[in-house]
Amino acid sequence: MIRINEHYLKLQASYLFSGIAARVNEYQKNHPDREIIKLGIGDATRALPMACIKALHRAVDELADDATFRGYGPEQGYLFLRQAIAQNDFQARGADISPEEIFVSDGAKCDTGNFQEILAQEITVAVPDPVYPVYVDTNVMAGRTGGLENGRYQNIIYLECTQANHFSPEIPDRPVDLVYLCFPNNPTGATITADALTEWVNYARKNKALILFDAAYEAFIQDETIPHSIYEIDGAKEVAVEFRSFSKTAGFTGTRCAFTVVPRKCRAYDKTGSPHELHSLWSRRHSTKFNGVSYPIQRAAEAVYSDEGKRQVKDIIRFYLKNAERIRQGMEQLGFSPVGGINSPYIWVDTQMDSWEFFKFLLEKAGVVCTPGAGFGACGQRYVRFSAFNTYENTEKAMARIKEALK
Ligand code: PLP
């Protein structure tokens, strides 16, 4: 008899965004004339930078000629892209990361979800609350948790992020083996200072723990005192893996390109306590289960680092941050105390009521979609997340409608 992986049965019924989509579709069906403005899901809406489009065209033409055609590429990614990443994202910021420590992939979602596969079943796992749901769900699937009770899985250590700690998780008062951190944060938009990140790195070093650092929103950092990479912190290379993505940086949500940094020095331990290089384990896993991102997409990603690409990416980020500023100000004027939206495309708002109720209220009274904070964890119960990924006109219109609805 074929049996299922019963850990999947512990998962909450639907992934957050499918739940939202179902409610929005239902509402639209009953109100076909109502124009709905989506400030919910974090999907890019601006076209790819022209530098990337030009690189894509050139690469496609290469594939049209036997002499320049490329089939399977290196599983880890083409060296031209890994070199551009190492130089621009790390070495230029004083972080000594080499191209061989970079693994190009088709998404930070897959990588943040899959990385736990190379770690032991019985490790203790800590996640911030609220959190990007992928970290939790993939540990549930892997069987590292018990069932769901009051919105929380047994055996996961939740690090509460609230107004009191400025939405930055506090160091646990006991040793944990694996910690997920995400800065700039989805969903709260919070950032972390170099001092606070240093404390995390020191904690991980002391406890022989591993930090999985998700920096998918790094490109939104405007304040130059905020670290862009965990490797700007001394000693981080021994205890941290970093995830990056071109999705939000340059609009690759549909074309798919991301990368993961696994430094050579980063270690985890077997049951006898002997250290092993995570780099070689991840390399083994990546090359066994993944066959590389397509050549034209890697060329397009490389173009992000050209002078033209850098200028265009800056323009796109500035565009989204203007929307974020508009939402933040708008919510402030309406008497809320929003956070985020400065070094991040997300604005996190305390609604003083149940987040799904507020979501429903905004949908029905304003035709505006936000994301209920409860979908990100128990600490999001009273919050909603607004996303800046829309046009400025729609953002303006949405804020005017919310103002009207709240009168
Ligand atoms: N990490 C975080 C925190 C995200 O919010 C997202 C997407 O919303 C991702 C990773 C996924 O990135 P990608 O498009 O590269 O899979």
Side-chain angles (χ1 to χ4, degrees), residues 143-161:
R144 285 198 190 87
T145 74
L148 193 66
E149 264 178 42
N150 300 324
R152 286 185 161 176
Y153 291 99
Q154 302 292 297
N155 303 345
I156 287 215
I157 295 162
Y158 289 90
L159 308 172
E160 301 202 340
C161 300

Side-chain angles (χ1 to χ4, degrees), residues 39 326-327 330-331 394-403:
L39 299 183
R326 180 68 189 86
I327 297 170
M331 293 312 285
N394 275 347
T395 307
E396 276 275 326
K397 209 193 283 183
M399 295 321 294
R401 286 202 205 159
I402 294 173
K403 188 174 175 186

Side-chain angles (χ1 to χ4, degrees), residues 8 11 109-110 112-117 133-145 180:
Y8 275 64
L11 291 165
K109 185 181 201 176
C110 328
T112 52
N114 290 330
F115 204 85
Q116 49 74 31
E117 264 187 43
V134 172
Y135 317 148
V136 176
D137 288 359
T138 49
N139 276 290
V140 175
M141 292 169 178
R144 285 198 190 87
T145 74
Y180 290 83

Side-chain angles (χ1 to χ4, degrees), residues 15 17 42-43 105-112 132 134-135 182 184-186 214-217 243-248 252-253 256-259 346 385:
Y15 184 69
F17 294 105
D43 192 0
S105 80
D106 62 353
K109 185 181 201 176
C110 328
D111 287 353
T112 52
Y132 178 53
V134 172
Y135 317 148
C182 172
N185 189 261
N186 175 15
D214 186 344
Y217 297 94
F243 303 93
R244 293 272 188 106
S245 173
F246 294 98
S247 283
K248 312 299 160 77
F252 278 59
T253 49
R256 313 301 303 145
C257 198
F259 59 92
Y346 297 127
R385 188 194 74 177

